[in-house]
Amino acid sequence: METTIPDKAYFRIGEVSRILGVEPYVVRFWESEFRSVRPERTSSAQRVYRRKDVEELLLIRKLLYEEKFTINGAKRQLTRMKKNPGKSADLFAADDRERLAEVKKGLQEIRDRMR
């Protein structure tokens, strides 16, 4: 699912939540969990997200909702992606899926033997 970000520099939390397709409290939670998302505050203390923050939040949403990472797994994946910017999240996720498929197969064999 490709999401387009409007051509502007700053976004309020309501706009960000609509772009991401999540509730504002989810955006605030991700902000507290992922240090790479740091919105500025207006004089009235409202959050104002930069385009960079919205792009980071879209990546976080992809890792959590599409790639099925946990919060800690998504943090580690973001760190890996920043260390190796040429590799995409899908490459790491594919490796993880292969390992998990092998583990699942082994566990199913053990279960079948116990029956």
Side-chain angles (χ1 to χ4, degrees):
M1 177 174 108
E2 189 63 31
T3 305
T4 56
I5 302 171
D7 191 25
K8 12 187 310 192
Y10 294 98
F11 304 86
R12 295 195 184 275
I13 194 164
E15 294 171 300
V16 173
S17 72
R18 279 190 296 281
I19 291 168
L20 298 173
V22 299
E23 294 293 323
Y25 71 87
V26 175
V27 177
R28 289 190 297 272
F29 175 72
W30 290 348
E31 175 189 327
S32 72
E33 289 293 320
F34 296 91
R35 297 194 184 274
S36 56
V37 179
R38 288 288 168 236
E40 297 175 13
R41 297 283 184 143
T42 64
S43 58
S44 60
Q46 289 186 342
R47 290 170 170 83
V48 179
Y49 295 84
R50 295 165 291 175
R51 185 175 196 82
K52 179 185 97 152
D53 292 325
V54 176
E55 291 169 354
E56 186 81 2
L57 287 165
L58 281 169
L59 179 56
I60 290 167
R61 184 192 68 184
K62 179 181 181 201
L63 291 173
L64 295 174
Y65 290 4
E66 295 173 25
E67 301 292 330
K68 305 297 184 192
F69 279 88
T70 62
I71 295 287
N72 286 332
K75 287 178 186 178
R76 284 190 297 271
Q77 184 64 24
L78 286 172
T79 302
R80 279 187 223 146
M81 290 170 68
K82 287 180 180 165
K83 287 181 182 176
N84 301 313
K87 295 190 177 187
S88 72
D90 294 333
L91 291 178
F92 290 111
D95 291 343
D96 293 340
R97 280 193 207 107
E98 288 175 22
R99 276 187 250 135
L100 286 173
E102 290 175 21
V103 169
K104 181 179 178 180
K105 183 179 175 186
L107 289 172
Q108 287 172 336
E109 289 173 5
I110 291 170
R111 182 192 65 199
D112 292 342
R113 288 182 187 170
M114 294 179 72
R115 287 184 179 182

